[in-house]
Amino acid sequence: MKRRSFLKNTLATGTAVIAANAGLLTPTTVLADWNKKAFSAKTTDEALSNVFGSANAVESSDIKLKAPAIAENGAVTPVTVDASTMSGVESIAIMASKNPQPLVCEYTFGAAAVGFVSTRIKMGQTMDVIAVVKAGGKLFKAQQEVKVTIGGCGG
Amino acid sequence: MTIKIRMRGKVKGPIAEVKALIKHPMESGVRMNKKTGKPYPAKYIESVSITVNGTEAVTSQWSGAVSANPYLAVKLTATKGDKIAISLTDNMGETGTSQITLK
């Protein structure tokens, strides 16, 4: 019993020390860590302000959001966000407004990338898909409603 | 265990479209196991990074709301001969990498 608790304690302190070291030595990797706050946010506004620091996004017709009007299977909803006509696209976030945690994914682009993303997301019910694009320091958004028919048959 | 990735690239003028299919359960941690009444433990990809010739082009963070066996397509300014690499990590610390050379 003693041996067991001894091992447990040494292991716990050991990892704590490693974690502390990592924090001190590599602040950049810590910054790039998974944004837990944004992904656990319960509303789209909360998620947005945690990702971009602001929730004021302006609707823009330059963002081409492609999603099906009716998704027969909400677990695989294809979503394409094309903001390639906009200049200076820094990042794109895709949100599903009524999911328990709305933020689905967030992409940050470097110099060699075009503002374009295509992926597949899960949706629990009929709701809006929202694409938020950060371009030139400003936030733009586009949204579209997707009807999720769980019973199949395309009804 | 490493995560399996299938990647393909297509050059169209100055832009290359890169598509990737990833084999991963993407368990959100919400789905219930009806027999035990407990949720399946969360297991999903948290971060994805795509590089062109070693320079980071796209970095991404995902939640468990990305579909199982994720599909991903991005457009990069790259031409023939450029090396495109993708690497990803899930919340359990599992990783996967794949690399292609554009033709």
Side-chain angles (χ1 to χ4, degrees):
Chain A
M1 190 59 203
K2 268 193 173 168
R3 184 169 152 267
R4 199 167 278 182
S5 60
F6 168 75
L7 274 175
K8 223 183 198 173
N9 286 337
T10 40
L11 269 179
T13 42
T15 40
V17 167
I18 290 168
N21 278 346
L24 282 173
L25 293 174
T26 52
T28 45
T29 52
V30 171
L31 271 180
D33 263 356
W34 196 64
N35 195 339
K36 197 179 171 195
K37 235 179 155 182
F39 281 108
S40 55
K42 298 272 185 285
T43 63
T44 51
D45 282 359
E46 198 186 332
L48 268 187
S49 45
N50 275 311
V51 176
F52 299 113
S54 157
N56 295 324
V58 188
E59 294 235 2
S60 166
S61 55
D62 289 337
I63 307 169
K64 287 185 192 76
L65 174 63
K66 217 196 276 172
I70 295 173
E72 285 179 36
N73 183 358
V76 271
T77 317
V79 174
T80 302
V81 181
D82 188 351
S84 49
T85 52
M86 299 171 88
S87 61
V89 176
E90 291 160 45
S91 54
I92 292 179
I94 298 174
M95 294 188 294
S97 61
K98 281 187 194 161
N99 271 6
Q101 287 93 34
L103 185 62
V104 176
C105 51
E106 187 263 317
Y107 292 82
T108 309
F109 299 105
V114 180
F116 172 92
V117 151
S118 181
T119 186
R120 295 194 291 226
I121 68 171
K122 294 178 196 162
M123 299 176 83
Q125 51 177 302
T126 299
M127 62 175 95
D128 289 336
V129 173
I130 307 170
V132 178
V133 176
K134 187 180 186 188
K138 283 183 188 157
L139 293 181
F140 301 96
K141 69 172 177 181
Q143 63 184 64
Q144 191 195 322
E145 192 191 43
V146 175
K147 280 203 171 112
V148 176
T149 56
I150 288 160
C153 303
Chain B
M1 270 242 316
T2 52
I3 303 164
K4 278 184 188 157
I5 308 165
R6 281 178 58 202
M7 197 163 49
R8 199 170 280 180
K10 205 179 202 179
V11 180
K12 269 186 202 159
I15 286 165
E17 188 172 8
V18 175
K19 297 175 179 175
L21 259 180
I22 301 153
K23 200 168 184 251
H24 199 280
M26 295 301 283
E27 196 64 70
S28 64
V30 178
R31 200 164 65 99
M32 284 289 171
N33 183 338
K34 278 183 187 138
K35 277 182 194 154
T36 62
K38 284 183 189 154
Y40 290 99
K43 181 174 172 58
Y44 51 88
I45 294 168
E46 282 192 338
S47 60
V48 182
S49 126
I50 297 168
T51 59
V52 178
N53 293 330
T55 327
E56 216 150 66
V58 179
T59 55
S60 178
Q61 298 189 348
W62 290 3
S63 75
V66 175
S67 299
N69 298 327
Y71 161 78
L72 159 72
V74 291
K75 286 181 178 169
L76 307 166
T77 42
T79 49
K80 277 180 195 175
D82 282 347
K83 284 191 175 68
I84 314 286
I86 185 168
S87 69
L88 32 94
T89 315
D90 75 4
N91 65 329
M92 310 285 269
E94 246 176 65
T95 56
T97 52
S98 178
Q99 186 178 315
I100 54 164
T101 307
L102 288 178
K103 282 183 235 174

